[in-house]
Amino acid sequence: MKLKSYTTHVLGVRSECRLREVGCVRAPLFCVEVVGRLPSALLSTSLPRASTFSSLEDASDVVASAYTTLHNGQSQECVITITNAGNEPVEWVDISMHSKLKKDMETLFFTWDKEEINSQLPIPAGGVAHLTLHINAIGPFILEKPGNPVPLSSASPRRRGEPVLQPPEPFAAKTVEAVLQVQYSGGPGMRGGHCRQGSVALTVEVLPSLVITEWNVLPSEVPTHCYLVLDMQNGAAVEMEVAYAQLKRILIEAGDKCRVPVPVQRCSLAALSSMLGAEWASVDICGHLWTDEKTDSRKATLLSACRRHLHNEVDLQWTLPALEISGKASISEITWTEDMLGFILMSPLRWDVRINEKDFQPEMEFNFLLGELVTFSIKLLNVSDVPLLNLNLFVRGYQDYQNGRQSYRLETKRAVSGKDRIHIEEIKPGEEFLHACGFVFFHSGAYKVDILCSHNDPLLDSGVHPCLIQKCSPTLDLTILED
């Protein structure tokens, strides 16, 4: 269709003005393409309307809005209703999301099932279709501490009149804005390659919930498990109940902190083999992983595998009884040090220790007389998928003074029967290594015995990383009596 002129009526006088004769219009005519008929749809949501949505650049096609308030880790459903108010059926619908979030975070924050809307097509004239939008409030669960903060006090020097800087608010709420874009088409216009577009403006206010301020990993009494020790703080304004393990719950008042040990199954080497693929077969967890030329890349891969393992193992569920809402906290943002990694990874060695032909159990007490031979029968089983090479087995006795000091100088207090240190060339996957030795004590008292494997002597080489020391846990406690 070509537009060449326009008509006006002023005081009963009809005038026809041609565009080519209008000085301010440079074009003599305008061509307008007329497309085939398209459906006309109305969009609505199950949430209250938002009052404003100003941070997004293009909001010209926004026809509906929605607002909700969620705590960090809480989820909510928003039902988007598409009503066909035209005469043509809606035969095709495409859904997309636009926000200022990073793309990977956006796909976690807003999720929907595309097949849900496709299964309701076509939408006839006057018909409706529904799409369930899942809103997952995801924010930082780890308290970010500013680097090298300067303590604020009245005694600290500053210029006269200079304002005192206040520390940042660690539990501030944040607002997430997004636009759900709906493109749809049908009828003759669809066959001509045309569509209509409408959008829903979404505003989500995310309030703080459970915050992890400190963390560490400690060994467990069971060698196949460890403890993930978390310092948790209630960032909400009401009392919070946290379920951190099976049948384990704790109440935290608003703003209070507490420390909980979360039992976690250690990441086995068999699981790592399935996650890391065939190249894992060339890695020796007892040394080569940390010393070969590909150390950095393998460390990154190993840390990623451990994060996935812990994500599946740890389930932190929080509840605000006063508000009758609940959610889940994530530990995916925690940075694991190599020391922590040493406890998270399963030892490639399975230890079987007998003391004077009795199986060693952590709860047992071992009492012996002066001059009595105390024998240690040690069996090592390689439970990994790779051979363990060039290991040194140590049976090391010492005294713990319970004040942070230990004494390994027992030359005058005990004699050794056999070898308390032996070199092992190789233990193949599934193979066992047997060793036996004994101690005869000359002085009464309490002694401890560590049984460990390492490439170097941890006492002589202080640079040995904890991840390179495989230790029988827990330590053996012996009591030597005079009679």
Side-chain angles (χ1 to χ4, degrees):
M1 183 175 64
K2 296 181 179 179
L3 299 179
K4 297 182 178 181
S5 63
Y6 63 93
T7 302
T8 63
H9 290 265
V10 180
L11 300 177
V13 179
R14 180 178 181 273
S15 302
E16 182 177 350
C17 303
R18 294 185 179 274
L19 297 181
R20 65 185 181 185
E21 298 174 353
V22 180
C24 62
V25 179
R26 297 182 179 180
L29 56 86
F30 291 96
C31 294
V32 178
E33 181 184 1
V34 180
V35 303
R37 295 187 305 275
L38 287 169
S40 178
L42 302 177
L43 302 179
S44 60
T45 75
S46 59
L47 296 178
R49 295 183 60 182
S51 57
T52 58
F53 43 91
S54 58
S55 67
L56 297 170
E57 296 179 357
D58 185 12
S60 59
D61 58 351
V62 172
V63 297
S65 64
Y67 174 85
T68 186
T69 300
L70 301 175
H71 283 75
N72 193 11
Q74 184 185 356
S75 298
Q76 187 178 25
E77 293 183 354
C78 174
V79 179
I80 309 295
T81 302
I82 304 175
T83 303
N84 186 357
N87 297 322
E88 298 295 332
V90 177
E91 303 174 72
W92 171 82
V93 175
D94 181 67
I95 307 293
S96 60
M97 185 68 69
H98 304 277
S99 71
K100 292 185 178 180
L101 297 174
K102 294 182 179 179
K103 205 61 185 177
D104 55 345
M105 177 65 70
E106 181 184 277
T107 55
L108 296 174
F109 206 102
F110 301 101
T111 60
W112 65 89
D113 185 5
K114 186 177 180 180
E115 293 301 321
E116 180 186 7
I117 192 68
N118 289 340
S119 63
Q120 303 176 64
L121 297 179
I123 307 173
V128 296
H130 302 284
L131 173 69
T132 303
L133 177 67
H134 300 275
I135 305 175
N136 309 301
I138 300 176
F141 290 98
I142 310 302
L143 180 61
E144 297 182 2
K145 297 182 178 180
N148 301 323
V150 179
L152 299 174
S153 65
S154 58
S156 59
R158 65 179 185 272
R159 294 179 180 178
R160 180 178 299 177
E162 181 180 356
V164 179
L165 299 178
Q166 297 298 327
E169 174 58 45
F171 307 126
K174 71 172 185 178
T175 301
V176 175
E177 291 188 331
V179 169
L180 181 74
Q181 191 176 80
V182 180
Q183 291 182 328
Y184 59 95
S185 186
M190 177 180 173
R191 290 183 284 275
H194 302 281
C195 69
R196 293 185 190 271
Q197 178 175 299
S199 299
V200 178
L202 303 168
T203 303
V204 182
E205 184 180 7
V206 182
L207 302 178
S209 58
L210 183 65
V211 181
I212 300 173
T213 59
E214 301 285 347
W215 59 90
N216 202 352
V217 183
L218 298 178
S220 170
E221 302 84 358
V222 182
T224 58
H225 287 70
C226 62
Y227 285 113
L228 181 58
V229 183
L230 302 177
D231 285 358
M232 301 186 300
Q233 185 166 0
N234 179 5
V238 295
E239 183 185 60
M240 174 184 293
E241 182 182 56
V242 180
Y244 59 91
Q246 188 176 9
L247 303 179
K248 297 288 186 179
R249 294 177 176 271
I250 189 170
L251 288 175
I252 311 176
E253 294 293 334
D256 284 355
K257 290 184 180 180
C258 71
R259 176 171 294 177
V260 297
V262 182
V264 175
Q265 185 173 0
R266 300 172 72 182
C267 187
S268 67
L269 298 181
L272 289 177
S273 298
S274 62
M275 285 188 285
L276 301 182
E279 73 169 358
W280 179 256
S282 64
V283 180
D284 178 0
I285 193 65
C286 282
H288 298 165
L289 173 67
W290 309 97
T291 58
D292 66 6
E293 59 185 9
K294 297 181 179 180
T295 293
D296 291 338
S297 62
R298 282 175 172 164
K299 278 183 184 178
T301 305
L302 185 64
L303 285 170
S304 177
C306 285
R307 286 191 185 97
R308 292 197 297 270
H309 172 76
L310 292 174
H311 178 75
N312 297 329
E313 284 287 320
V314 179
D315 185 20
L316 298 177
Q317 302 280 351
W318 57 262
T319 304
L320 303 180
L323 303 179
E324 297 182 350
I325 60 175
S326 60
K328 182 177 180 179
S330 172
I331 62 169
S332 59
E333 299 171 347
I334 289 182
T335 302
W336 305 105
T337 65
E338 293 179 1
D339 291 342
M340 298 176 185
L341 187 65
F343 291 120
I344 296 172
L345 290 173
M346 182 81 75
S347 171
L349 294 172
R350 182 176 297 168
W351 302 82
D352 185 6
V353 178
R354 295 172 63 84
I355 303 177
N356 282 12
E357 301 305 320
K358 293 183 179 180
D359 291 335
F360 168 63
Q361 300 293 336
E363 65 276 5
M364 293 180 62
E365 295 183 358
F366 293 95
N367 300 320
F368 303 98
L369 297 177
L370 283 176
E372 182 181 356
L373 176 63
V374 182
T375 61
F376 306 98
S377 301
I378 305 166
K379 179 169 66 175
L380 303 179
L381 173 64
N382 182 1
V383 296
S384 71
D385 298 333
V386 295
L388 306 179
L389 308 173
N390 298 321
L391 299 178
N392 293 305
L393 174 65
F394 301 91
V395 182
R396 178 158 292 146
Y398 65 96
Q399 286 185 301
D400 189 350
Y401 297 121
Q402 304 297 325
N403 60 358
R405 295 178 58 249
Q406 295 88 27
S407 174
Y408 291 88
R409 304 297 299 270
L410 301 183
E411 294 87 352
T412 62
K413 296 183 179 181
R414 62 103 173 92
V416 179
S417 173
K419 295 183 177 181
D420 60 352
R421 169 177 176 170
I422 186 170
H423 181 72
I424 305 172
E425 292 288 345
E426 179 183 11
I427 307 179
K428 295 181 179 179
E431 283 191 352
E432 296 178 348
F433 178 84
L434 302 177
H435 179 67
C437 64
F439 289 168
V440 177
F441 291 92
F442 307 139
H443 295 270
S444 60
Y447 296 86
K448 291 180 179 292
V449 177
D450 277 341
I451 303 176
L452 53 92
C453 271
S454 175
H455 291 283
N456 303 312
D457 190 334
L459 289 182
L460 300 179
D461 185 2
S462 59
V464 178
H465 195 278
C467 293
L468 307 184
I469 302 174
Q470 304 300 331
K471 183 178 178 181
C472 177
S473 181
T475 297
L476 284 63
D477 291 314
L478 308 179
T479 301
I480 307 302
L481 306 175
E482 293 185 359
D483 52 30

